[in-house]
Amino acid sequence: MTSTCQLCNSTNLHTHLQNDAKSKLPLSISFCSDCSLIQQQEIPSDEDLKIYYSHNYRQDYKSTYSPNTKYVRRAGMTALDRIKFLESHVQLSNQVLLDIGAGGGEFVYMAQKKGLQSKGIEPNLGYSTFSKEQYGVEVKTAMLSDVQDSSADIVTLFHVFEHMAKPLDVMKKLYSSIKDGGYLFIEVPNILQADASPHNIYFKAHLFYYSKFTLACAASQYFDVVKVEDKGNLKVLFKKKAQPSENISSVQADEIEFSQNRIKQKGWLEYLFNGKGLLKPFLRIERVVTELLINQTSPKAILDSLYTAR
Ligand SMILES: [Zn+2]
């Protein structure tokens, strides 16, 4: 049982024993009154996490993986949105980009089309193999701890950081994996998001539930915030500090209060923790029709056509 906050080391944690939205098993979550980080109480070991992400997390962990066209199309559109966010703040051409937890490699491929020297790592063999075979991109079967060089101008983690234990250690590792003057782009579910269903946010794999305040705090020793976008998911672009700071910066009292109120106001905790959120109607008819039409196309052809359409 973890009794201290993984971010600020406080013992002022308010614990809720609740149920996993997916498995319905009991899951203990707490809110830290000193930094507002929401975190799981029992953080798995690094070894357990490695096994989980190599084998269990992605449903298909064999060496063959074939996502449907619907998935590829959505991943492609999301990748283009992320590139758009990135390019409005960073000069992208010829930059070396490393995507941590690259999944099926859609972002790595799109970034390459955009002129970046992009590569990725992904612990799951089926996904990393798929990336190489379908898109011809460099995605190694590996985890962040396997990264040994610091050749990246930009490192990206999309819906990965909330799965990682020891956020401060992860930030330190990221700092050493990025070139001087380089950038870190993190996207996570936004715990303060007002109007979304938490159905997909809350489950055992997510060890932490970040807000713009707690994510900035987690990075503060090693990175400065360049840009925050928190409509929907939380996107934060960071720039590597010239020198790491001695300590993390603290989350301000008014920010903690705001977070707590937002969570209470929305009945967010209860909604989350009882796992009763209903999935919003997800598909628009138009999209379904388009997806049917492209059903026979290869993943690469889907991404190519999306790229051209933008
Ligand atoms: Zn804390």
Side-chain angles (χ1 to χ4, degrees):
M1 203 68 150
T2 315
S3 54
T4 56
C5 174
Q6 298 293 300
L7 193 51
C8 75
N9 234 9
S10 162
T11 52
N12 204 357
L13 300 180
H14 295 268
T15 305
H16 305 255
L17 184 66
Q18 301 291 343
N19 299 316
D20 184 304
K22 293 190 179 180
S23 72
K24 309 296 177 202
L25 294 168
L27 195 54
S28 189
I29 298 283
S30 64
F31 177 89
C32 175
S33 298
D34 289 318
C35 76
S36 76
L37 180 64
I38 296 178
Q39 54 207 294
Q40 260 188 52
Q41 285 290 65
E42 290 167 73
I43 303 292
S45 71
D46 290 346
E47 193 50 36
D48 286 349
L49 286 171
K50 184 168 184 170
I51 292 166
Y52 183 62
Y53 288 107
S54 307
H55 301 286
N56 303 333
Y57 176 58
R58 312 247 190 221
Q59 279 190 339
D60 187 340
Y61 56 84
K62 301 186 186 82
S63 58
T64 52
Y65 160 72
S66 46
N68 59 26
T69 53
K70 197 159 75 177
Y71 169 84
V72 173
R73 190 163 183 274
R74 284 194 192 145
M77 290 193 293
T78 307
L80 288 174
D81 288 341
R82 288 166 178 162
I83 289 167
K84 197 176 164 196
F85 175 82
L86 206 48
E87 75 182 341
S88 56
H89 306 286
V90 185
Q91 169 58 45
L92 296 186
S93 134
N94 264 324
Q95 300 279 286
V96 176
L97 182 143
L98 175 64
D99 188 29
I100 313 276
E106 290 80 10
F107 179 79
V108 175
Y109 180 65
M110 287 298 210
Q112 186 178 289
K113 286 181 80 74
K114 195 75 201 172
L116 288 127
Q117 297 178 49
S118 58
K119 52 190 177 175
I121 56 168
E122 161 59 43
N124 182 282
L125 178 64
Y127 276 69
S128 54
T129 306
F130 176 85
S131 305
K132 283 176 267 195
E133 288 178 352
Q134 296 294 327
Y135 306 125
V137 292
E138 186 191 335
V139 174
K140 282 187 185 149
T141 313
M143 301 186 76
L144 176 60
S145 53
D146 302 319
V147 175
Q148 295 303 332
D149 64 290
S150 55
S151 61
D153 297 294
I154 304 164
V155 165
T156 54
L157 294 93
F158 303 124
H159 295 256
V160 167
F161 189 64
E162 70 275 22
H163 297 260
M164 298 170 115
K166 302 181 189 131
L168 300 179
D169 291 354
V170 173
M171 286 295 180
K172 186 178 184 180
K173 176 67 181 167
L174 290 168
Y175 184 84
S176 70
S177 310
I178 298 174
K179 266 186 196 165
D180 288 349
Y183 292 88
L184 171 67
F185 176 17
I186 295 185
E187 184 181 312
V188 291
N190 181 7
I191 192 67
L192 299 182
Q193 186 183 354
D195 59 351
S197 161
H199 192 86
N200 290 321
I201 295 177
Y202 183 68
F203 64 110
K204 194 166 177 66
H206 291 180
L207 305 178
F208 300 97
Y209 301 82
Y210 291 100
S211 67
K212 59 185 173 185
F213 308 123
T214 51
L215 185 59
C217 175
S220 60
Q221 252 181 304
Y222 304 101
F223 299 94
D224 294 316
V225 174
V226 176
K227 180 71 188 172
V228 174
E229 190 184 293
D230 67 347
K231 294 187 189 83
N233 287 318
L234 178 61
K235 289 184 174 71
V236 183
L237 179 67
F238 296 98
K239 192 171 170 64
K240 182 177 173 175
K241 285 180 189 253
Q243 292 294 328
S245 314
E246 203 61 11
N247 298 301
I248 60 165
S249 64
S250 46
V251 179
Q252 302 302 305
D254 61 331
E255 297 168 341
I256 294 172
E257 199 185 331
F258 174 86
S259 302
Q260 202 160 17
N261 287 341
R262 169 60 67 84
I263 286 162
K264 277 184 191 161
Q265 209 176 45
K266 289 286 163 192
W268 186 256
L269 279 178
E270 202 176 330
Y271 188 47
L272 278 178
F273 295 156
N274 289 328
K276 284 177 186 162
L278 293 171
L279 270 176
K280 277 184 175 175
F282 204 57
L283 293 169
R284 290 182 302 139
I285 297 294
E286 183 191 324
R287 198 197 281 168
V288 174
V289 171
T290 317
E291 282 161 1
L292 285 173
L293 288 173
I294 58 175
N295 223 18
Q296 301 305 316
T297 321
S298 79
K300 186 167 176 289
I302 294 168
L303 296 190
D304 287 345
S305 68
L306 282 173
Y307 186 86
T308 309
R310 283 277 169 110

